Amino acid sequence: MLSIQEISNILIEQNIKPSFQRIKIYEFLLKNNIHPNIEIIYSNLSKGIPTLSKTTIYNTLKKFEEKGLILSVNIDEKEIRYDAILKTHGHFKCESCGEIFDFDYNYNDIKFKGLENFILTKTDVMVKGICNKCKLKNKK
Amino acid sequence: MLSIQEISNILIEQNIKPSFQRIKIYEFLLKNNIHPNIEIIYSNLSKGIPTLSKTTIYNTLKKFEEKGLILSVNIDEKEIRYDAILKTHGHFKCESCGEIFDFDYNYNDIKFKGLENFILTKTDVMVKGICNKCKLKNKK
DNA sequence: GTATCTGCAAAACATTTGCAATTCT
DNA sequence: AGAATTGCAAATGTTTTGCAGATAC
């Protein structure tokens, strides 16, 4: 796990001034690979930082995404979720329990027919369905 | 292009009572393959149906999606878009002009590693970037 | 001491809900 | 008449904006 100093250095490398709030938010994303929404980040961090505001979280996540430090995940119609894992992967949302799972796929396997001259900057494979746990639960 | 009668029959087949509003909304989606949001559907159809309310459009699209007649497209963080094309395809959003393009890909090319026992009900490949037209425009 | 960052309060939107009026059979 | 549909108005919930005070270099 990364130290505060290491996290701070990552922010500086990305041209983001490492404030206390920003370090804590990025640390939370790194430690909790749960594609959190603003609410989850807020309720977890505000315990330790009572003055933390949601506006700061919104501002921070927007800046992180602009700088390429994190990705927003749009699989949930209602709210934006965030992911600090930059390695290519897809997202599965279980429509029964609501949980979001990462899965691997091979980017080069996909032939994007019709986008030959386009510049592709972000790809996300979004899958919905029922996860194995819920599938077994519902069988009973 | 389908007649009102044919559209009506499609709705009946899907167990949807073919009201005037529903027929017009589905007809709009079929005729305009532009992944419209609620606002676009409303502003276009309310010319011909002055009493049409957005609530009805929301209700209708929700019902259409439940019954498998259309798909919601979530590539735009801000709002839901709708698509009457059910054939497997991906969506590309140009971050310069905002337009959404369909593209083809081969579903069977993708190996979903880690979802082996899951039930997959909906897959969408979402790509963002710059479309060719905007790419050329920006070069000047 | 000037830029930036933070956070409160209010605004802005998309979507949902409650409910009464309308329509259809 | 009875059931479903429509649509207005209000509520909800997420994200954005304006701005004043705090913080950092």
Side-chain angles (χ1 to χ4, degrees):
Chain A
M1 191 48 63
L2 297 176
S3 69
I4 299 300
Q5 188 54 56
E6 288 168 315
I7 290 171
S8 183
N9 287 339
I10 294 172
L11 297 181
I12 291 168
E13 271 169 43
Q14 302 294 329
N15 248 309
I16 301 165
K17 290 192 185 169
S19 74
F20 181 66
Q21 288 87 337
R22 289 171 175 178
I23 290 170
K24 283 299 178 185
I25 292 169
Y26 187 52
E27 185 187 33
F28 182 81
L29 289 171
L30 287 176
K31 282 192 182 164
N32 302 278
N33 180 28
I34 54 172
H35 316 87
N37 57 18
I38 300 285
E39 193 57 42
I40 291 172
I41 299 172
Y42 178 74
S43 61
N44 276 275
L45 292 185
S46 60
K47 291 172 204 160
I49 318 167
T51 63
L52 182 67
S53 82
K54 286 188 184 175
T55 304
T56 297
I57 302 176
Y58 277 104
N59 290 339
T60 301
L61 294 173
K62 180 177 280 186
K63 174 148 295 211
F64 283 178
E65 194 185 12
E66 278 169 18
K67 301 291 188 178
L69 195 63
I70 64 173
L71 291 171
S72 62
V73 180
N74 220 35
I75 198 166
D76 206 307
E77 317 36 58
K78 305 287 183 184
E79 62 201 1
I80 303 176
R81 290 171 169 273
Y82 290 91
D83 194 345
I85 297 182
L86 300 179
K87 174 181 176 299
T88 296
H89 66 282
H91 293 105
F92 175 92
K93 184 182 175 197
C94 176
E95 308 215 81
S96 174
C97 65
E99 200 175 332
I100 295 173
F101 299 82
D102 284 344
F103 67 86
D104 285 326
Y105 70 92
N106 220 324
Y107 181 79
N108 294 319
D109 285 347
I110 307 176
K111 296 279 162 290
F112 302 95
K113 298 171 200 165
L115 303 184
E116 282 76 14
N117 290 309
F118 290 28
I119 300 169
L120 312 188
T121 54
K122 181 181 177 182
T123 301
D124 203 351
V125 179
M126 312 264 205
V127 184
K128 294 193 181 181
I130 308 290
C131 73
N132 198 35
K133 200 190 280 179
C134 287
K135 200 178 81 177
L136 297 173
K137 203 179 290 172
N138 295 339
K139 262 190 190 166
K140 286 176 197 167
Chain B
M1 192 48 65
L2 297 178
S3 70
I4 299 300
Q5 188 54 57
E6 288 168 315
I7 289 171
S8 183
N9 287 339
I10 294 172
L11 296 182
I12 291 167
E13 271 170 43
Q14 302 294 329
N15 249 308
I16 301 165
K17 290 193 184 168
S19 74
F20 181 66
Q21 288 88 338
R22 288 171 176 178
I23 290 169
K24 285 297 179 185
I25 292 169
Y26 187 50
E27 185 187 32
F28 182 82
L29 289 172
L30 287 175
K31 282 192 181 163
N32 302 279
N33 181 27
I34 55 173
H35 316 88
N37 56 20
I38 300 284
E39 193 58 41
I40 291 173
I41 299 172
Y42 178 75
S43 60
N44 277 274
L45 292 184
S46 59
K47 292 172 201 159
I49 316 167
T51 62
L52 182 67
S53 82
K54 286 190 185 176
T55 304
T56 297
I57 303 178
Y58 277 105
N59 290 340
T60 300
L61 293 173
K62 182 177 278 185
K63 175 151 294 212
F64 284 178
E65 194 185 13
E66 277 169 19
K67 301 291 189 178
L69 195 62
I70 65 172
L71 291 172
S72 62
V73 180
N74 220 35
I75 197 166
D76 205 308
E77 320 32 60
K78 306 286 182 183
E79 63 202 1
I80 303 176
R81 290 169 170 273
Y82 289 92
D83 194 346
I85 297 182
L86 299 179
K87 174 182 176 297
T88 295
H89 65 282
H91 293 105
F92 175 92
K93 184 181 176 198
C94 174
E95 308 215 81
S96 175
C97 65
E99 201 175 332
I100 295 173
F101 299 82
D102 284 344
F103 67 86
D104 285 323
Y105 70 92
N106 220 324
Y107 181 79
N108 294 319
D109 285 348
I110 307 176
K111 297 277 163 293
F112 301 96
K113 297 171 201 165
L115 304 185
E116 282 77 14
N117 290 309
F118 290 28
I119 301 170
L120 313 187
T121 55
K122 183 181 178 185
T123 301
D124 204 349
V125 179
M126 312 266 204
V127 184
K128 295 194 178 178
I130 309 290
C131 73
N132 198 35
K133 199 191 279 180
C134 288
K135 199 177 83 178
L136 296 172
K137 202 179 290 170
N138 295 339
K139 261 191 189 164
K140 284 176 194 166

